[in-house]
Amino acid sequence: MIDTLKKQALEAILNAESLEQLDEVRVRYLSKKGEVSLLMGKLRDIPQEERPQFGALVNSLKETIELALYQKKQGLEDQALWVALSKEKIDVTLPGYQLYQGGVHPLNQVIEDMEDLFVGLGFEVATGPELENDHYNFEMMNLDKDHPARAMQDSFYVDENLLLRTHTSPVQARTMLEKQGKPLRIICPGKVYRRDDDDPTHSHQFMQIEGLVIDESITFANLKDSLLTMVKHLFGPERIIRLRPSYFPFTEPSVEVDVSYQKKDGTLGWIEILGAGQVHPNVLKMGGYDPKKFRGFAFGVGVERITMLKYKIDDIRHFYTNDLRFLNQFKGASK
Ligand code: FA5
């Protein structure tokens, strides 16, 4: 009887085709009311002296079935894993994920290019805070509290004395104080802010590059030479510049500088890109330089303006709207 049961159970295990079927076999033979338990229940009907032997045989049967179930279960699980893996085969011919690679913003490309040029000419790159004190932004630049020229650069104020800087010129004052009367040559690129209405050539936030040179024998010719070098580097050797008299409280004399370009009809046109001049004696004095001994020149160029001119961009707002169709055109376009 035991042998028959063993044969049946092992055959059922062998024939099970899935884990579900195998579990059904387990329940049929090994559960509380299964065949093996029923067999054990027959112990009572057996003569006393044969009981231990019968019990041992039933236990051995149980172990044999358990082992066979375990081995079959392993086999079925391996098989299921194999089926799943073969379904998940990798198709190496499918296109991969596209990694999007960013590029340097056109304004930063122009700034980096300008830094390369001026560092090559012996300038240092200086920086200053965008949230600036009225003292540095205006007063140290020779614009007293009630100076009418303050109206030319209205700003965003945090409180009476703290504002978003309206130009990079306060870095002139900061650097002069830092250099403590020693000759200096710096450029300072950075963001500036004004309460200007946005239009194709004006933005309320834009970039400038400030330049400042102070030494004992600086003349206006040095200024003109530096600006011409910059313009030819940026736009090509055929370009020339035009200096128009202008007014800034921090330079005397002051100029506005235009760059030549060829108009559509072939004639010569001019576009303003920067303000410049010889450093005002008051500015030198406040910065700790003796105006009788030292002279200086300074300029402040609009980065958007030169970038627009260089790449023929028709609207300043393109720089700040993050349209990838615009930005992608400048990937690796420097120089
Ligand atoms: C100044 O900001 C002076 N600090 C420049 C300077 C420095 C003069 C040192 C003398 C010595 P101005 O306001 O003109 O000047 O601005 C300089 C340049 O910034 C302009 O020529 C123009 O290229 C750019 N710019 C001015 N306002 C805007 C604006 N709203 N949007 C974009 N670019 C502007």
Side-chain angles (χ1 to χ4, degrees):
M1 191 170 42
I2 290 179
D3 280 346
T4 317
L5 202 62
K6 186 170 164 184
K7 215 171 141 215
Q8 282 172 0
L10 293 180
E11 217 170 271
I13 291 170
L14 192 70
N15 292 336
E17 283 175 2
S18 65
L19 287 165
E20 291 77 27
Q21 282 182 15
L22 191 66
D23 201 50
E24 281 166 20
V25 177
R26 181 189 63 77
V27 171
R28 180 152 29 108
Y29 289 94
L30 296 185
S31 65
K32 266 192 197 156
K33 289 182 184 164
E35 301 282 354
V36 175
S37 299
L38 290 178
L39 205 57
M40 212 45 138
K42 295 214 164 94
L43 210 60
R44 274 180 262 119
D45 311 332
I46 290 176
Q48 186 78 38
E49 62 281 7
E50 290 175 22
R51 282 184 191 173
Q53 198 198 352
F54 184 78
L57 282 172
V58 176
N59 274 336
S60 147
L61 169 67
K62 193 179 166 204
E63 279 167 19
T64 308
I65 296 174
E66 276 173 351
L67 182 67
L69 278 169
Y70 174 75
Q71 285 169 343
K72 180 72 181 189
K73 190 169 177 238
Q74 295 262 300
L76 286 172
E77 279 173 354
D78 284 354
Q79 206 179 331
L81 181 67
W82 182 248
V83 171
L85 285 177
S86 59
K87 272 193 205 147
E88 286 171 18
K89 245 192 311 186
I90 295 168
D91 182 354
V92 290
T93 63
L94 280 175
Y97 289 111
Q98 192 86 37
L99 281 181
Y100 181 76
Q101 197 170 13
V104 180
H105 192 279
L107 295 176
N108 286 330
Q109 288 187 24
V110 167
I111 287 175
E112 282 172 15
D113 186 28
M114 288 291 88
E115 287 180 352
D116 276 357
L117 171 72
F118 280 101
V119 167
L121 294 172
F123 285 60
E124 286 174 48
V125 178
T127 55
E130 285 173 33
L131 194 56
E132 187 53 284
N133 288 311
D134 183 280
H135 178 68
Y136 290 109
N137 195 80
F138 290 126
E139 285 174 41
M140 291 280 288
M141 289 290 105
N142 207 24
L143 282 129
D144 282 341
K145 286 257 188 260
D146 50 0
H147 198 297
R150 280 192 179 214
M152 288 157 61
Q153 298 187 3
D154 195 9
S155 178
F156 302 94
Y157 283 83
V158 173
D159 62 38
E160 214 177 303
N161 287 312
L162 214 52
L163 67 153
L164 288 175
R165 67 180 177 191
T166 55
H167 51 177
T168 41
S169 298
V171 183
Q172 288 190 30
R174 287 178 173 275
T175 313
M176 280 190 250
L177 294 175
E178 203 181 289
K179 294 283 178 186
Q180 300 187 341
K182 293 195 196 77
L184 65 86
R185 273 162 208 240
I186 55 145
I187 58 159
C188 165
K191 283 191 210 124
V192 301
Y193 306 83
R194 285 189 200 172
R195 279 191 55 188
D196 282 351
D197 288 331
D198 291 357
D199 67 23
T201 53
H202 292 84
S203 173
H204 61 280
Q205 177 201 310
F206 58 101
M207 308 265 243
Q208 287 188 337
I209 300 176
E210 191 82 7
L212 174 68
V213 174
I214 300 181
D215 214 323
E216 289 186 25
S217 53
I218 292 297
T219 70
F220 217 89
N222 297 125
L223 169 64
K224 192 172 175 190
D225 179 57
S226 299
L227 295 178
L228 199 57
T229 305
M230 179 179 92
V231 163
K232 287 187 185 294
H233 174 84
L234 270 172
F235 305 116
E238 71 287 356
R239 301 293 185 120
I240 51 173
I241 55 173
R242 180 173 80 171
L243 274 56
R244 280 180 293 108
S246 185
Y247 170 75
F248 296 104
F250 30 93
T251 45
E252 180 61 42
S254 303
V255 286
E256 261 167 346
V257 179
D258 303 335
V259 178
S260 65
Y261 75 101
Q262 201 177 15
K263 286 190 188 164
K264 278 188 187 144
D265 62 8
T267 58
L268 191 69
W270 298 98
I271 295 181
E272 180 216 312
I273 56 162
L274 62 90
Q278 200 152 315
V279 181
H280 195 288
N282 288 352
V283 174
L284 284 174
K285 236 184 276 172
M286 284 187 274
Y289 288 79
D290 178 358
K292 291 206 181 80
K293 191 172 166 205
F294 285 99
R295 284 193 184 189
F297 71 74
F299 61 87
V301 55
V303 179
E304 283 79 357
R305 296 274 171 88
I306 53 178
T307 311
M308 287 168 82
L309 203 57
K310 186 175 163 86
Y311 294 118
K312 299 192 169 67
I313 295 164
D314 60 352
D315 196 317
I316 197 170
R317 289 166 289 198
H318 288 311
F319 292 122
Y320 296 108
T321 41
N322 283 336
D323 187 337
L324 290 180
R325 289 168 304 177
F326 171 76
L327 294 173
N328 281 339
Q329 296 175 54
F330 299 93
K331 273 196 189 169
S334 64
K335 296 245 165 134

